[in-house]
Amino acid sequence: MDSIGAAPVTALGARTEIDTEIDVAAERARTVGAGLSHHFNAAGAALPSHGVIAAVVEHLRLEERYGGYEAAAAVRERSDDVYAAAAELLGANPHEIALFDSASTGLRVLMDALRAMSGTRIVASSTTYVSHAMHLMTIARGHDADLVVAPVDAQRRLDVDALDALLADGRPTIVTVSHIPTSSGLIEPAERIGEITRRHGATYLLDATQSVGHLKVDVGAIGCDALVTTGRKFLRGPRGTGLAYVHESLIERLKPTAPDVRGAQWVTQSGWELSPDARRFESWESAVAARLGLGVAVREAIARSPESTERWLRARAGLLRSALADIPGVMITDPEGAASAIVTFVVDGVECGAVVERLAARNVRVVSVPATHGQWDLGVRKLSSVVRASVHVYNDDNDLGALVDAVRLVAAGRDGEARG
């Protein structure tokens, strides 16, 4: 019988056709790291496939032989396909895609280009990640803009009714939301937020760092004006990659604060012209090899089917969440109703960093997220840190069982370490 730890799967939730949507054995076969540890850190940096790594290494070898510029020229069509692939995944157009070295860079560039001035209101979700939050606070202080942390509902999601009432005054507003936070398995009501921002004429920026490659993300259905994500998390791309979608109507209104030769032409002694597409936000220098790897990762995500991936990940995480909740001394810290592939918890009497170390000793890879990464969420909830486990398509029943068994031993004080 399939099992998660000592608890049969049938006791946690019956198997359904969802389990056949993802070929886990095939995913593991093309993921070297899947056979080396029980890896539950897709929300930090997922295990890349062999195809992703092969694309990166192949291009580095090309640069080794011919030089960086020459190698880039030789793969121009493949580089351009990264934009096409990202657009296909998100339901956008290639000219609305920009590539960055990280989601943080993309968020910073776009927020700066929005040029919030005195009187502008910035409404941020309580789930905003530390880097973006600190940038928003810096903008507010430097430009006399008002920064408002959006109210939350009973499930700690952004309160859409409160947002609707707040925006009704017609004041110029930028709404920035983290689709899925770093600190829990919550999913923000992105589409409902889009309906409200469109109705009130607010600009809507979605941080999809934890959702692209995890959920089906369609920018048209969501209604966001811009979206930013990273390559290294659920997309399973290389570190040092990220991308953004910017709706064509917003591209025309945004001017980067630091135009670069990649997205602009210096045409007179004192004038320049910006590229008409989203590449106006890019920088000339980039890791071409990493971007090619990102392109492979995006194509693999499309082939896997975002809809099937979402259903499978959420179902498997649901089983894991239930199994962990049944362990004495373990408390799930996800808000009620959280249903993403991210599962957060604490173990009574054991500091979260120590839990991570003890699980690592059993070859189970999770991370600890401190309140310093989410003061508007973890800080408000009086949680100094949480343990975060995030499931991906290469995690099989053996992985899930290893994680649950290891947590059970830590909670019982039988993992070979004295409890603190």
Side-chain angles (χ1 to χ4, degrees):
M1 178 181 291
D2 291 328
S3 64
I4 297 183
V9 170
T10 52
L12 301 174
R15 294 283 189 168
T16 70
E17 65 277 5
I18 289 174
D19 293 290
T20 66
E21 290 190 300
I22 298 296
D23 188 340
V24 181
E27 295 293 345
R28 290 179 66 82
R30 56 173 164 256
T31 308
V32 172
L36 302 178
S37 71
H38 307 291
H39 191 275
F40 290 94
N41 192 20
L47 295 175
S49 72
H50 174 75
V52 169
I53 298 303
V56 174
V57 173
E58 175 186 294
H59 189 75
L60 290 176
R61 293 300 186 196
L62 202 63
E63 290 186 346
E64 179 184 41
R65 294 176 64 186
Y66 301 110
Y69 280 20
E70 293 78 5
V75 298
R76 186 166 290 121
E77 287 187 8
R78 288 172 57 203
S79 294
D80 287 342
D81 185 65
V82 180
Y83 297 88
E88 182 179 345
L89 180 67
L90 299 176
N93 297 303
H95 70 271
E96 297 174 309
I97 302 296
L99 301 180
F100 296 100
D101 60 3
S102 70
S104 292
T105 296
L107 287 166
R108 183 174 66 250
V109 169
L110 294 182
M111 275 302 305
D112 286 344
L114 283 166
R115 299 175 187 265
M117 297 299 175
S118 177
T120 298
R121 179 173 54 200
I122 302 171
V123 178
S125 65
S126 66
T127 52
T128 300
Y129 182 64
V130 51
S131 300
H132 190 42
M134 291 190 295
H135 185 215
L136 296 178
M137 289 186 281
T138 300
I139 291 172
R141 293 175 184 178
H143 299 280
D144 197 25
D146 292 331
L147 176 59
V148 178
V149 179
V152 298
D153 62 18
Q155 296 178 316
R156 294 209 58 80
R157 299 174 304 179
L158 188 148
D159 188 326
V160 291
D161 292 331
L163 179 66
D164 198 5
L166 180 65
L167 299 186
D169 62 7
R171 183 176 170 186
T173 302
I174 300 166
V175 176
T176 174
V177 175
S178 179
H179 199 176
I180 299 176
T182 192
S183 51
S184 80
L186 177 146
I187 303 174
E188 294 282 14
E191 293 190 14
R192 184 76 180 97
I193 295 168
E195 295 171 5
I196 294 168
T197 54
R198 284 197 302 271
R199 185 166 67 252
H200 293 294
T203 300
Y204 178 19
L205 172 59
L206 186 67
D207 176 358
T209 304
Q210 299 287 12
S211 58
V212 174
H214 175 173
L215 310 180
K216 175 176 171 54
V217 176
D218 185 300
V219 293
I222 291 172
C224 55
D225 296 291
L227 172 151
V228 176
T229 193
T230 186
R232 65 182 160 87
K233 296 180 184 284
F234 286 92
L235 272 177
R236 302 181 62 191
R239 294 193 69 176
T241 59
L243 61 92
Y245 151 81
V246 187
H247 191 275
E248 56 189 2
S249 64
L250 185 61
I251 292 173
E252 300 171 0
R253 295 195 284 119
L254 298 190
K255 295 178 173 56
T257 57
D260 183 88
V261 67
R262 169 64 171 170
Q265 285 190 323
W266 192 8
V267 294
T268 68
Q269 291 291 314
S270 59
W272 64 93
E273 295 177 354
L274 293 171
S275 170
D277 57 25
R279 298 189 195 192
R280 66 172 56 188
F281 304 111
E282 295 184 1
S283 297
W284 166 257
E285 189 51 43
S286 66
V288 176
R291 288 188 173 182
L292 293 176
L294 174 64
V296 172
V298 172
R299 287 295 179 193
E300 289 180 349
I302 294 169
R304 198 161 49 235
S305 168
E307 297 90 343
S308 296
T309 300
E310 175 179 347
R311 284 192 295 267
W312 194 89
L313 290 179
R314 293 177 69 172
R316 297 296 280 172
L319 293 177
L320 176 60
R321 195 174 282 112
S322 296
L324 291 173
D326 285 341
I327 300 174
V330 173
M331 182 180 73
I332 299 297
T333 52
D334 293 332
E336 182 181 356
S340 77
I342 295 174
V343 181
T344 62
F345 62 96
V346 294
V347 178
D348 185 31
V350 186
E351 192 271 332
C352 289
V355 174
V356 172
E357 291 177 1
R358 296 183 193 183
L359 296 188
R362 300 180 66 84
N363 210 24
V364 177
R365 311 298 177 189
V366 296
V367 298
S368 174
V369 180
T372 52
H373 285 192
Q375 284 290 359
W376 297 339
D377 178 28
L378 294 180
V380 170
R381 291 196 280 153
K382 307 300 182 184
L383 291 167
S384 60
S385 60
V386 296
V387 180
R388 184 184 70 195
S390 41
V391 180
H392 217 320
V393 294
Y394 45 71
N395 289 129
D396 61 8
D397 285 345
N398 184 51
D399 286 334
L400 296 176
L403 171 55
V404 174
D405 284 344
V407 173
R408 182 180 292 110
L409 290 173
V410 171
R414 293 189 289 109
D415 63 326
E417 295 284 344
R419 297 184 72 190

